[in-house]
Amino acid sequence: TKTVTSSISIYGIKELIQHQHSDSIIVLEVYPTKKHTNNLANNWTLSDIGHMGGSKEQPEEVTLYYDLQVTASVYTCPILLTDHYYAQHLNPPKPAPAPIPPSYSIM
């Protein structure tokens, strides 16, 4: 949840979302409803789409929805692509050698 003014542009909201996702987004669309029928233009503000806001003590709550695509570098990162658990089954760790039994002298 972020508190912003009603004069913030959709582009400004996208910047906040992008920062939250560590700037790894290449495509980001913001929508006023879950149906994703019409994305909001970057130059529109919250007041342009009917949200005038409230006071600082009681701000108007607005829910916006977004779709995003992350950069390809995330998909090509070998660390993120490693299936640690699958790889363990391919090369299971070797069991520890059995301890050498103590030797006894019988007299």
Side-chain angles (χ1 to χ4, degrees):
T1 302
K2 297 275 185 188
T3 302
V4 296
T5 64
S6 61
S7 62
I8 190 170
S9 66
I10 298 302
Y11 179 80
I13 292 171
K14 286 182 175 183
E15 288 289 312
L16 292 172
I17 295 168
Q18 191 133 14
H19 181 71
Q20 181 179 344
H21 289 277
S22 303
D23 299 322
S24 61
I25 300 171
I26 56 172
V27 177
L28 174 62
E29 298 296 336
V30 178
Y31 302 93
T33 65
K34 278 187 176 181
K35 294 188 181 193
H36 296 11
T37 52
N38 296 321
N39 61 324
L40 301 173
N42 283 338
N43 60 336
W44 292 357
T45 63
L46 289 178
S47 59
D48 290 339
I49 59 173
H51 301 289
M52 296 302 150
S55 65
K56 188 173 184 176
E57 295 78 28
Q58 291 184 319
E60 175 188 359
E61 286 193 24
V62 176
T63 300
L64 297 174
Y65 302 90
Y66 60 91
D67 280 336
L68 57 91
Q69 291 178 359
V70 294
T71 58
S73 63
V74 173
Y75 296 117
T76 58
C77 176
I79 295 171
L80 294 176
L81 292 175
T82 301
D83 187 345
H84 176 72
Y85 299 103
Y86 178 72
Q88 281 185 342
H89 296 294
L90 290 178
N91 298 317
K94 295 181 181 177
I100 300 172
S103 56
Y104 296 97
S105 296
I106 301 177
M107 298 195 183

XYZ file of all heavy atoms in Angstrom:
843
model
N 0.847 -1.177 0.000
C 0.000 0.000 0.000
C 0.886 1.232 0.000
O 1.815 1.331 0.792
C -0.906 0.009 1.241
O -1.684 -1.175 1.243
C -1.807 1.224 1.241
N 0.594 2.127 -0.919
C 1.332 3.388 -1.018
C 0.331 4.524 -0.920
O -0.777 4.433 -1.441
C 2.055 3.506 -2.365
C 3.107 2.462 -2.604
C 4.388 2.873 -1.988
C 5.462 1.869 -2.350
N 6.671 2.092 -1.659
N 0.707 5.595 -0.270
C -0.114 6.796 -0.228
C 0.496 7.802 -1.188
O 1.672 8.141 -1.077
C -0.165 7.380 1.201
O -0.682 6.377 2.082
C -1.057 8.605 1.252
N -0.314 8.246 -2.145
C 0.129 9.209 -3.153
C -0.956 10.264 -3.307
O -2.072 10.100 -2.833
C 0.403 8.518 -4.516
C 1.544 7.535 -4.409
C -0.845 7.833 -5.038
N -0.635 11.339 -4.004
C -1.638 12.370 -4.263
C -2.432 12.004 -5.504
O -1.982 11.206 -6.339
C -0.980 13.746 -4.472
O -0.175 13.688 -5.661
C -0.119 14.137 -3.279
N -3.609 12.612 -5.650
C -4.444 12.311 -6.814
C -3.868 12.907 -8.090
O -4.315 12.584 -9.184
C -5.873 12.809 -6.598
O -5.880 14.210 -6.414
N -2.856 13.750 -7.966
C -2.236 14.334 -9.156
C -1.106 13.471 -9.714
O -0.519 13.819 -10.743
C -1.708 15.730 -8.844
O -0.706 15.651 -7.850
N -0.811 12.331 -9.084
C 0.247 11.458 -9.599
C -0.208 10.843 -10.924
O -1.370 10.472 -11.092
C 0.646 10.357 -8.587
C 1.920 9.630 -9.058
C -0.491 9.389 -8.368
C 2.516 8.698 -8.017
N 0.705 10.768 -11.850
C 0.367 10.185 -13.155
C 0.459 8.661 -13.085
O 1.075 8.101 -12.179
C 1.330 10.705 -14.230
O 2.643 10.231 -13.970
N -0.145 8.018 -14.064
C -0.046 6.561 -14.162
C 1.422 6.179 -14.348
O 1.889 5.186 -13.803
C -0.930 6.023 -15.303
C -2.403 6.357 -15.035
C -0.731 4.535 -15.503
C -2.955 5.806 -13.722
N 2.167 7.009 -15.083
C 3.597 6.768 -15.232
C 4.290 6.765 -13.868
O 5.136 5.911 -13.587
C 4.228 7.828 -16.144
C 5.710 7.641 -16.321
C 6.193 6.693 -17.216
C 6.623 8.386 -15.584
C 7.559 6.492 -17.375
C 7.983 8.191 -15.728
C 8.446 7.253 -16.624
O 9.795 7.054 -16.761
N 3.921 7.691 -12.985
C 4.492 7.738 -11.637
C 4.149 6.488 -10.843
O 4.978 5.966 -10.098
N 2.928 5.998 -11.024
C 2.527 4.759 -10.347
C 3.338 3.588 -10.892
O 3.794 2.726 -10.140
C 1.013 4.525 -10.509
C 0.259 5.600 -9.718
C 0.613 3.130 -10.056
C -1.225 5.619 -9.947
N 3.550 3.569 -12.210
C 4.368 2.512 -12.807
C 5.792 2.545 -12.258
O 6.406 1.505 -12.031
C 4.390 2.653 -14.334
C 3.103 2.240 -15.003
C 3.238 2.378 -16.517
C 2.031 1.871 -17.243
N 2.194 1.933 -18.707
N 6.319 3.735 -12.046
C 7.662 3.870 -11.477
C 7.713 3.271 -10.067
O 8.682 2.604 -9.708
C 8.091 5.339 -11.442
C 8.400 5.921 -12.807
C 9.680 5.369 -13.389
O 10.703 5.337 -12.687
O 9.647 4.959 -14.563
N 6.674 3.507 -9.272
C 6.616 2.925 -7.925
C 6.579 1.403 -7.993
O 7.259 0.716 -7.225
C 5.387 3.445 -7.174
C 5.384 4.919 -6.796
C 4.018 5.328 -6.240
C 6.482 5.210 -5.787
N 5.781 0.861 -8.912
C 5.684 -0.589 -9.073
C 7.019 -1.151 -9.537
O 7.503 -2.162 -9.034
C 4.554 -0.961 -10.056
C 3.195 -0.544 -9.485
C 4.570 -2.455 -10.373
C 2.058 -0.602 -10.490
N 7.635 -0.465 -10.505
C 8.917 -0.930 -11.032
C 9.977 -0.952 -9.936
O 10.759 -1.889 -9.839
C 9.359 -0.021 -12.176
C 10.516 -0.561 -12.948
C 10.286 -0.468 -14.433
O 9.398 0.217 -14.883
N 11.071 -1.158 -15.200
N 9.992 0.059 -9.107
C 10.962 0.098 -8.010
C 10.714 -1.046 -7.032
O 11.662 -1.643 -6.513
C 10.887 1.445 -7.298
C 11.854 1.576 -6.170
N 13.206 1.696 -6.369
C 11.668 1.571 -4.836
C 13.810 1.774 -5.202
N 12.898 1.698 -4.250
N 9.463 -1.370 -6.798
C 9.116 -2.472 -5.896
C 9.604 -3.808 -6.436
O 9.937 -4.710 -5.693
C 7.598 -2.502 -5.706
C 7.103 -3.577 -4.777
C 5.585 -3.534 -4.625
O 4.938 -2.566 -4.958
N 5.032 -4.613 -4.123
N 9.673 -3.950 -7.754
C 10.112 -5.195 -8.384
C 11.572 -5.122 -8.827
O 11.978 -5.797 -9.762
C 9.215 -5.527 -9.575
C 7.844 -5.949 -9.170
N 7.547 -7.232 -8.791
C 6.685 -5.248 -9.071
C 6.264 -7.309 -8.487
N 5.722 -6.121 -8.638
N 12.356 -4.304 -8.192
C 13.801 -4.187 -8.440
C 14.134 -3.828 -9.879
O 15.113 -4.304 -10.438
C 14.508 -5.484 -8.046
O 14.252 -5.790 -6.716
N 13.315 -3.018 -10.500
C 13.571 -2.507 -11.851
C 13.801 -3.605 -12.882
O 14.543 -3.435 -13.836
C 14.767 -1.544 -11.842
C 14.506 -0.347 -10.951
O 13.351 0.128 -10.940
O 15.441 0.125 -10.283
N 13.181 -4.767 -12.707
C 13.367 -5.875 -13.644
C 12.200 -6.016 -14.626
O 12.085 -7.010 -15.304
C 13.534 -7.184 -12.868
O 12.373 -7.443 -12.106
N 11.354 -4.995 -14.721
C 10.153 -5.066 -15.553
C 10.434 -4.449 -16.917
O 11.017 -3.376 -17.012
C 8.985 -4.331 -14.873
C 8.673 -4.964 -13.519
C 7.759 -4.314 -15.756
C 7.688 -4.187 -12.691
N 10.003 -5.130 -17.993
C 10.125 -4.543 -19.318
C 8.769 -4.095 -19.863
O 8.702 -3.160 -20.623
C 10.826 -5.486 -20.312
C 10.121 -6.828 -20.403
C 12.271 -5.656 -19.974
C 10.647 -7.730 -21.501
N 7.696 -4.760 -19.482
C 6.353 -4.371 -19.910
C 5.480 -4.293 -18.666
O 5.442 -5.230 -17.873
C 5.753 -5.388 -20.915
C 4.332 -5.009 -21.280
C 6.615 -5.492 -22.153
N 4.793 -3.165 -18.510
C 3.929 -2.969 -17.356
C 2.687 -2.222 -17.809
O 2.792 -1.147 -18.389
C 4.659 -2.176 -16.275
C 3.869 -1.759 -15.042
C 3.356 -2.981 -14.277
C 4.725 -0.897 -14.132
N 1.538 -2.797 -17.598
C 0.267 -2.163 -17.932
C -0.563 -2.041 -16.665
O -0.623 -2.983 -15.868
C -0.499 -2.996 -18.972
C 0.224 -3.143 -20.306
C 0.429 -1.838 -21.046
O -0.328 -0.869 -20.813
O 1.366 -1.774 -21.857
N -1.205 -0.902 -16.466
C -2.022 -0.653 -15.290
C -3.477 -0.543 -15.735
O -3.774 0.087 -16.747
C -1.577 0.642 -14.568
C -2.462 0.933 -13.365
C -0.121 0.540 -14.145
N -4.370 -1.176 -14.968
C -5.788 -1.227 -15.314
C -6.635 -0.762 -14.127
O -6.270 -0.993 -12.976
C -6.197 -2.671 -15.669
C -5.405 -3.249 -16.806
C -4.250 -3.988 -16.569
C -5.809 -3.054 -18.116
C -3.522 -4.523 -17.611
C -5.080 -3.588 -19.161
C -3.939 -4.315 -18.914
O -3.218 -4.836 -19.945
N -7.807 -0.166 -14.421
C -8.676 0.273 -13.328
C -9.508 -0.861 -12.725
O -10.000 -0.739 -11.617
C -9.578 1.315 -13.988
C -9.624 0.918 -15.430
C -8.285 0.295 -15.725
N -9.688 -1.970 -13.452
C -10.491 -3.096 -12.967
C -9.764 -4.401 -13.219
O -8.796 -4.454 -13.983
C -11.862 -3.162 -13.694
O -11.634 -3.434 -15.070
C -12.651 -1.878 -13.533
N -10.266 -5.471 -12.624
C -9.654 -6.789 -12.812
C -9.833 -7.307 -14.235
O -9.104 -8.194 -14.657
C -10.283 -7.799 -11.851
C -9.723 -7.788 -10.475
C -10.304 -8.937 -9.670
C -9.692 -9.006 -8.309
N -10.199 -10.111 -7.522
N -10.808 -6.781 -14.979
C -11.110 -7.321 -16.306
C -10.033 -6.999 -17.337
O -9.984 -7.590 -18.389
C -12.468 -6.819 -16.779
C -13.590 -7.364 -15.923
C -14.928 -7.029 -16.486
C -15.973 -7.605 -15.554
N -17.277 -7.624 -16.104
N -9.162 -6.055 -17.065
C -8.053 -5.693 -17.964
C -8.543 -5.342 -19.367
O -7.974 -5.758 -20.369
C -7.029 -6.821 -18.050
C -6.325 -7.124 -16.766
N -6.694 -6.614 -15.555
C -5.267 -7.896 -16.509
C -5.894 -7.057 -14.620
N -5.019 -7.853 -15.159
N -9.619 -4.583 -19.445
C -10.145 -4.226 -20.758
C -9.390 -3.055 -21.372
O -8.958 -3.125 -22.504
C -11.647 -3.891 -20.665
O -11.833 -2.916 -19.634
C -12.456 -5.122 -20.335
N -9.221 -1.988 -20.627
C -8.517 -0.808 -21.146
C -7.411 -0.420 -20.173
O -7.687 -0.090 -19.023
C -9.483 0.375 -21.298
C -10.556 0.104 -22.324
O -10.283 -0.487 -23.362
N -11.777 0.510 -22.031
N -6.178 -0.458 -20.668
C -5.095 -0.034 -19.789
C -5.097 1.485 -19.699
O -5.619 2.182 -20.562
C -3.746 -0.580 -20.254
C -3.358 -0.098 -21.625
O -4.201 0.062 -22.487
N -2.088 0.142 -21.820
N -4.544 2.001 -18.619
C -4.525 3.433 -18.370
C -3.313 4.066 -19.050
O -2.207 3.538 -18.985
C -4.501 3.696 -16.866
C -5.693 3.109 -16.092
C -5.470 3.276 -14.593
C -6.984 3.752 -16.517
N -3.525 5.209 -19.678
C -2.454 5.924 -20.372
C -1.475 6.516 -19.365
O -1.863 6.919 -18.263
C -3.043 7.029 -21.247
N -0.210 6.564 -19.746
C 0.845 7.048 -18.858
C 0.622 8.477 -18.377
O 0.995 8.830 -17.270
C 2.211 6.965 -19.538
C 2.751 5.561 -19.565
O 2.354 4.711 -18.776
N 3.660 5.299 -20.480
N 0.024 9.331 -19.211
C -0.118 10.742 -18.842
C -1.369 11.024 -18.015
O -1.551 12.133 -17.536
C -0.096 11.622 -20.083
C -1.216 11.303 -21.050
O -1.752 10.193 -21.060
N -1.580 12.261 -21.877
N -2.241 10.056 -17.822
C -3.426 10.255 -16.990
C -3.016 10.307 -15.524
O -2.028 9.702 -15.105
C -4.426 9.131 -17.174
C -5.071 9.090 -18.531
C -4.900 9.968 -19.557
C -5.962 8.097 -19.001
N -5.640 9.576 -20.641
C -6.299 8.432 -20.331
C -6.503 6.949 -18.449
C -7.172 7.664 -21.095
C -7.363 6.183 -19.211
C -7.700 6.544 -20.519
N -3.822 10.999 -14.741
C -3.611 11.039 -13.293
C -4.766 10.307 -12.618
O -5.762 9.969 -13.260
C -3.565 12.491 -12.781
O -4.841 13.098 -13.022
C -2.466 13.300 -13.465
N -4.637 10.089 -11.331
C -5.725 9.454 -10.598
C -6.989 10.314 -10.649
O -8.099 9.798 -10.749
C -5.320 9.188 -9.148
C -4.281 8.090 -8.933
C -3.935 7.974 -7.454
C -4.771 6.753 -9.461
N -6.822 11.636 -10.606
C -8.000 12.504 -10.688
C -8.646 12.428 -12.072
O -9.863 12.561 -12.192
C -7.648 13.947 -10.318
O -6.649 14.452 -11.165
N -7.848 12.173 -13.120
C -8.410 12.018 -14.472
C -9.335 10.811 -14.564
O -10.252 10.792 -15.389
C -7.298 11.862 -15.520
C -6.512 13.131 -15.751
O -7.034 14.220 -15.423
O -5.371 13.031 -16.242
N -9.091 9.794 -13.752
C -9.938 8.596 -13.822
C -10.968 8.559 -12.688
O -11.556 7.532 -12.399
C -9.094 7.302 -13.842
C -8.214 7.171 -12.602
C -8.260 7.235 -15.116
C -7.499 5.832 -12.498
N -11.186 9.733 -12.060
C -12.285 9.862 -11.117
C -11.946 9.739 -9.648
O -12.845 9.692 -8.817
N -10.674 9.714 -9.294
C -10.287 9.594 -7.890
C -9.703 10.926 -7.427
O -8.559 11.240 -7.715
C -9.286 8.459 -7.696
C -9.817 7.135 -8.128
N -10.786 6.467 -7.430
C -9.535 6.365 -9.214
C -11.076 5.333 -8.046
N -10.329 5.252 -9.139
N -10.520 11.692 -6.717
C -10.108 13.026 -6.282
C -9.277 12.993 -5.009
O -8.618 13.949 -4.664
C -11.334 13.924 -6.065
C -12.105 14.165 -7.336
S -11.028 14.923 -8.566
C -11.746 14.289 -10.045
N -9.294 11.877 -4.314
C -8.503 11.757 -3.096
C -9.267 12.264 -1.888
O -10.370 12.771 -1.988
N -8.669 12.106 -0.745
C -9.261 12.573 0.498
C -8.256 13.451 1.211
O -7.362 14.020 0.594
N -8.393 13.519 2.515
C -7.436 14.300 3.303
C -6.216 13.438 3.607
O -6.224 12.225 3.403
C -8.098 14.762 4.597
O -8.411 13.647 5.406
N -5.198 14.076 4.131
C -4.000 13.322 4.487
C -4.312 12.330 5.604
O -3.770 11.230 5.644
C -2.894 14.282 4.921
C -1.560 13.624 5.114
C -0.473 14.645 5.385
C 0.868 13.953 5.468
N 1.969 14.909 5.632
N -5.219 12.712 6.489
C -5.596 11.838 7.592
C -6.507 10.701 7.128
O -6.492 9.628 7.709
C -6.307 12.642 8.694
C -5.432 13.674 9.376
C -5.246 14.942 8.542
O -6.143 15.287 7.735
O -4.186 15.566 8.672
N -7.331 10.963 6.129
C -8.250 9.945 5.612
C -8.187 9.912 4.087
O -9.076 10.397 3.402
C -9.690 10.231 6.053
C -9.909 10.027 7.528
C -11.371 10.230 7.897
O -12.026 11.138 7.403
N -11.872 9.361 8.747
N -7.117 9.324 3.544
C -7.008 9.287 2.083
C -8.032 8.329 1.472
O -8.476 7.382 2.111
C -5.582 8.787 1.851
C -5.220 8.061 3.097
C -5.987 8.701 4.211
N -8.417 8.622 0.238
C -9.316 7.723 -0.492
C -8.529 6.484 -0.885
O -7.405 6.577 -1.371
C -9.835 8.430 -1.755
C -10.676 7.552 -2.645
C -11.014 8.207 -3.973
O -10.619 9.359 -4.220
O -11.671 7.541 -4.774
N -9.111 5.319 -0.675
C -8.446 4.084 -1.081
C -8.813 3.767 -2.519
O -9.981 3.807 -2.899
C -8.859 2.927 -0.172
C -8.219 2.999 1.180
C -8.375 1.715 1.965
O -8.567 0.646 1.350
O -8.289 1.791 3.188
N -7.803 3.458 -3.324
C -7.990 3.123 -4.731
C -7.247 1.823 -4.996
O -6.106 1.663 -4.568
C -7.430 4.232 -5.650
C -7.535 3.840 -7.104
C -8.126 5.548 -5.389
N -7.884 0.901 -5.680
C -7.222 -0.340 -6.072
C -7.010 -0.310 -7.577
O -7.959 -0.119 -8.335
C -8.072 -1.566 -5.698
O -8.276 -1.567 -4.282
C -7.370 -2.854 -6.095
N -5.762 -0.460 -7.986
C -5.420 -0.571 -9.399
C -4.812 -1.948 -9.614
O -4.205 -2.527 -8.714
C -4.422 0.513 -9.807
C -4.919 1.952 -9.688
C -3.786 2.917 -9.993
C -6.086 2.206 -10.619
N -4.950 -2.473 -10.810
C -4.426 -3.796 -11.151
C -3.361 -3.624 -12.219
O -3.409 -2.698 -13.018
C -5.564 -4.689 -11.658
C -6.665 -4.827 -10.632
C -7.729 -3.944 -10.594
C -6.612 -5.838 -9.678
C -8.717 -4.053 -9.631
C -7.599 -5.959 -8.713
C -8.652 -5.061 -8.703
O -9.625 -5.171 -7.754
N -2.409 -4.537 -12.236
C -1.371 -4.437 -13.255
C -0.901 -5.804 -13.705
O -0.977 -6.781 -12.985
C -0.198 -3.574 -12.785
C 0.531 -4.056 -11.556
C 1.623 -4.900 -11.663
C 0.146 -3.635 -10.288
C 2.312 -5.331 -10.545
C 0.828 -4.054 -9.159
C 1.912 -4.900 -9.294
O 2.590 -5.316 -8.182
N -0.440 -5.845 -14.944
C 0.222 -7.008 -15.527
C 1.647 -6.590 -15.821
O 1.898 -5.445 -16.212
C -0.440 -7.440 -16.837
C -1.691 -8.265 -16.620
O -1.818 -8.884 -15.552
O -2.531 -8.288 -17.523
N 2.566 -7.515 -15.671
C 3.955 -7.169 -15.957
C 4.683 -8.340 -16.577
O 4.281 -9.487 -16.448
C 4.669 -6.709 -14.689
C 4.700 -7.651 -13.485
C 5.927 -8.526 -13.518
C 4.692 -6.830 -12.224
N 5.741 -8.016 -17.288
C 6.681 -8.999 -17.807
C 8.049 -8.580 -17.305
O 8.397 -7.411 -17.344
C 6.693 -9.015 -19.338
C 5.429 -9.546 -19.951
C 5.498 -9.493 -21.480
O 6.478 -9.049 -22.053
N 4.447 -9.944 -22.113
N 8.806 -9.540 -16.837
C 10.135 -9.229 -16.321
C 11.171 -9.389 -17.418
O 10.936 -10.035 -18.431
C 10.491 -10.109 -15.096
C 9.589 -9.782 -13.930
C 10.405 -11.565 -15.433
N 12.342 -8.830 -17.192
C 13.398 -8.868 -18.192
C 13.861 -10.286 -18.455
O 13.779 -11.158 -17.594
C 14.610 -8.029 -17.750
O 15.071 -8.529 -16.514
C 14.267 -6.572 -17.637
N 14.385 -10.489 -19.633
C 14.867 -11.814 -20.028
C 16.053 -12.261 -19.187
O 16.280 -13.444 -19.019
C 15.245 -11.812 -21.504
N 16.796 -11.309 -18.637
C 17.967 -11.697 -17.847
C 17.570 -12.533 -16.639
O 18.346 -13.346 -16.161
C 18.753 -10.468 -17.407
O 17.954 -9.668 -16.549
N 16.352 -12.341 -16.151
C 15.887 -13.170 -15.040
C 15.744 -14.610 -15.502
O 16.047 -15.544 -14.786
C 14.551 -12.627 -14.489
C 13.968 -13.571 -13.459
C 14.757 -11.247 -13.884
N 15.290 -14.804 -16.749
C 15.077 -16.151 -17.264
C 16.373 -16.823 -17.700
O 16.424 -18.025 -17.844
C 14.110 -16.119 -18.453
C 12.738 -15.658 -18.066
C 12.203 -14.496 -18.584
C 11.971 -16.392 -17.171
C 10.939 -14.081 -18.230
C 10.715 -15.972 -16.802
C 10.199 -14.823 -17.342
O 8.952 -14.406 -16.983
N 17.420 -16.054 -17.924
C 18.685 -16.644 -18.360
C 19.699 -16.731 -17.225
O 20.819 -17.164 -17.441
C 19.295 -15.827 -19.517
O 19.491 -14.489 -19.076
C 18.398 -15.856 -20.735
N 19.318 -16.343 -16.050
C 20.229 -16.409 -14.909
C 20.394 -17.867 -14.496
O 19.427 -18.519 -14.108
C 19.683 -15.589 -13.750
S 20.697 -15.725 -12.269
N 21.609 -18.428 -14.573
C 21.790 -19.841 -14.251
C 21.451 -20.183 -12.800
O 20.994 -21.276 -12.513
C 23.265 -20.098 -14.548
C 23.911 -18.778 -14.642
C 22.851 -17.776 -14.969
N 21.628 -19.238 -11.919
C 21.298 -19.521 -10.517
C 19.801 -19.690 -10.343
O 19.335 -20.595 -9.662
C 21.849 -18.414 -9.597
C 23.374 -18.428 -9.644
C 21.342 -18.576 -8.172
C 24.027 -17.267 -8.947
N 19.019 -18.798 -10.997
C 17.566 -18.889 -10.879
C 17.011 -20.095 -11.632
O 15.958 -20.607 -11.289
C 16.909 -17.614 -11.382
C 17.210 -16.369 -10.550
C 16.577 -15.145 -11.189
C 16.730 -16.531 -9.128
N 17.719 -20.541 -12.660
C 17.246 -21.678 -13.441
C 17.633 -23.020 -12.832
O 17.144 -24.054 -13.250
C 17.789 -21.591 -14.870
C 17.221 -20.448 -15.704
C 17.936 -20.388 -17.051
C 15.730 -20.609 -15.904
N 18.512 -23.016 -11.871
C 18.969 -24.260 -11.264
C 17.857 -24.886 -10.440
O 17.236 -24.233 -9.626
C 20.177 -23.999 -10.356
O 21.208 -23.429 -11.138
C 20.672 -25.282 -9.721
N 17.624 -26.148 -10.698
C 16.666 -26.898 -9.893
C 17.488 -27.679 -8.877
O 17.939 -28.784 -9.138
C 15.829 -27.829 -10.767
C 14.717 -28.498 -9.990
O 14.765 -28.471 -8.744
O 13.811 -29.053 -10.618
N 17.688 -27.070 -7.751
C 18.579 -27.633 -6.739
C 18.157 -29.042 -6.331
O 18.980 -29.935 -6.201
C 18.613 -26.713 -5.521
C 19.426 -27.238 -4.386
N 20.805 -27.285 -4.424
C 19.070 -27.765 -3.191
C 21.249 -27.807 -3.304
N 20.227 -28.100 -2.530
N 16.874 -29.254 -6.158
C 16.413 -30.558 -5.673
C 16.534 -31.629 -6.757
O 16.914 -32.748 -6.481
C 14.975 -30.444 -5.167
C 14.904 -29.467 -4.029
C 14.422 -28.183 -4.206
C 15.382 -29.817 -2.768
C 14.397 -27.283 -3.163
C 15.357 -28.923 -1.714
C 14.858 -27.649 -1.921
O 14.847 -26.767 -0.895
N 16.251 -31.279 -8.001
C 16.404 -32.236 -9.092
C 17.869 -32.601 -9.266
O 18.216 -33.760 -9.437
C 15.832 -31.664 -10.383
C 15.987 -32.583 -11.563
C 15.224 -33.735 -11.662
C 16.905 -32.313 -12.570
C 15.363 -34.597 -12.731
C 17.052 -33.165 -13.647
C 16.276 -34.304 -13.724
O 16.414 -35.154 -14.783
N 18.724 -31.620 -9.201
C 20.154 -31.864 -9.374
C 20.691 -32.791 -8.285
O 21.592 -33.585 -8.528
C 20.910 -30.543 -9.380
N 20.132 -32.724 -7.104
C 20.576 -33.621 -6.039
C 20.268 -35.070 -6.390
O 21.014 -35.964 -6.039
C 19.885 -33.270 -4.718
C 20.501 -32.090 -4.030
C 19.850 -31.868 -2.680
O 18.774 -32.363 -2.402
N 20.509 -31.095 -1.842
N 19.169 -35.330 -7.088
C 18.816 -36.696 -7.457
C 19.708 -37.224 -8.580
O 19.939 -38.418 -8.675
C 17.346 -36.781 -7.870
C 16.423 -36.449 -6.751
N 16.309 -37.227 -5.620
C 15.587 -35.408 -6.558
C 15.440 -36.687 -4.791
N 14.983 -35.576 -5.341
N 20.217 -36.326 -9.419
C 21.111 -36.759 -10.489
C 22.473 -37.165 -9.942
O 23.081 -38.111 -10.399
C 21.287 -35.643 -11.515
C 20.062 -35.329 -12.363
C 20.379 -34.165 -13.292
C 19.629 -36.543 -13.171
N 22.945 -36.424 -8.999
C 24.251 -36.688 -8.385
C 24.064 -36.751 -6.870
O 24.449 -35.831 -6.158
C 25.252 -35.577 -8.731
C 25.501 -35.507 -10.205
O 25.664 -36.529 -10.842
N 25.508 -34.304 -10.751
N 23.487 -37.834 -6.390
C 23.254 -37.891 -4.942
C 24.581 -37.899 -4.194
O 25.589 -38.393 -4.694
C 22.502 -39.209 -4.744
C 22.817 -40.027 -5.945
C 23.096 -39.065 -7.061
N 24.565 -37.311 -3.026
C 25.810 -37.309 -2.258
C 26.210 -38.728 -1.897
O 25.375 -39.588 -1.651
C 25.463 -36.493 -1.007
C 23.980 -36.449 -0.951
C 23.469 -36.680 -2.339
N 27.513 -38.957 -1.919
C 28.013 -40.287 -1.587
C 27.929 -40.483 -0.078
O 28.199 -39.557 0.679
C 29.450 -40.437 -2.072
C 29.541 -40.379 -3.573
C 30.948 -40.549 -4.046
C 30.946 -40.461 -5.569
N 32.247 -40.547 -6.121
N 27.540 -41.681 0.334
C 27.457 -41.899 1.779
C 28.845 -41.844 2.399
O 29.853 -42.147 1.767
C 26.845 -43.298 1.901
C 27.097 -43.951 0.588
C 27.182 -42.859 -0.433
N 28.868 -41.466 3.633
C 30.135 -41.410 4.357
C 30.682 -42.820 4.490
O 29.926 -43.784 4.614
C 29.915 -40.787 5.732
N 31.980 -42.965 4.420
C 32.534 -44.317 4.559
C 32.208 -44.879 5.939
O 32.121 -44.149 6.919
C 34.028 -44.120 4.370
C 34.284 -42.673 4.563
C 33.010 -41.959 4.255
N 32.025 -46.173 5.952
C 31.723 -46.850 7.235
C 32.931 -46.728 8.150
O 34.081 -46.800 7.695
C 31.399 -48.299 6.976
N 32.677 -46.508 9.401
C 33.814 -46.395 10.320
C 34.553 -47.725 10.413
O 33.983 -48.798 10.295
C 33.168 -46.020 11.651
C 31.749 -46.433 11.531
C 31.404 -46.388 10.078
N 35.831 -47.624 10.571
C 36.653 -48.832 10.708
C 36.397 -49.396 12.100
O 36.499 -48.656 13.091
C 38.147 -48.503 10.506
C 38.339 -47.930 9.104
C 39.009 -49.721 10.765
C 39.715 -47.396 8.843
N 36.027 -50.669 12.151
C 35.740 -51.220 13.476
C 37.010 -51.246 14.315
O 38.112 -51.402 13.794
C 35.215 -52.621 13.197
C 35.629 -52.927 11.810
C 35.853 -51.642 11.108
N 36.850 -51.110 15.577
C 38.031 -51.147 16.433
C 38.673 -52.517 16.375
O 37.998 -53.523 16.189
C 37.498 -50.822 17.832
C 36.038 -51.120 17.767
C 35.630 -50.943 16.346
N 39.949 -52.562 16.485
C 40.642 -53.862 16.463
C 40.781 -54.377 17.888
O 40.892 -53.603 18.830
C 42.002 -53.745 15.789
O 42.766 -52.765 16.428
N 40.703 -55.653 17.981
C 40.792 -56.281 19.309
C 41.989 -57.238 19.308
O 42.273 -57.887 18.315
C 39.519 -57.063 19.627
C 38.298 -56.181 19.726
C 37.459 -56.027 18.648
C 38.015 -55.507 20.907
C 36.344 -55.206 18.735
C 36.896 -54.694 20.998
C 36.075 -54.546 19.912
O 34.980 -53.736 19.995
N 42.573 -57.298 20.387
C 43.635 -58.298 20.580
C 43.113 -59.354 21.535
O 42.595 -59.020 22.584
C 44.890 -57.669 21.209
O 45.431 -56.731 20.330
N 43.212 -60.580 21.120
C 42.759 -61.658 21.988
C 43.986 -62.382 22.495
O 44.830 -62.813 21.732
C 41.846 -62.633 21.231
C 40.648 -61.867 20.699
C 41.430 -63.781 22.118
C 39.710 -62.666 19.887
N 44.097 -62.553 23.729
C 45.244 -63.212 24.322
C 44.832 -64.434 25.022
O 43.853 -64.698 25.482
C 45.950 -62.298 25.276
C 46.475 -61.114 24.603
S 47.629 -60.360 25.731
C 48.059 -58.967 24.828
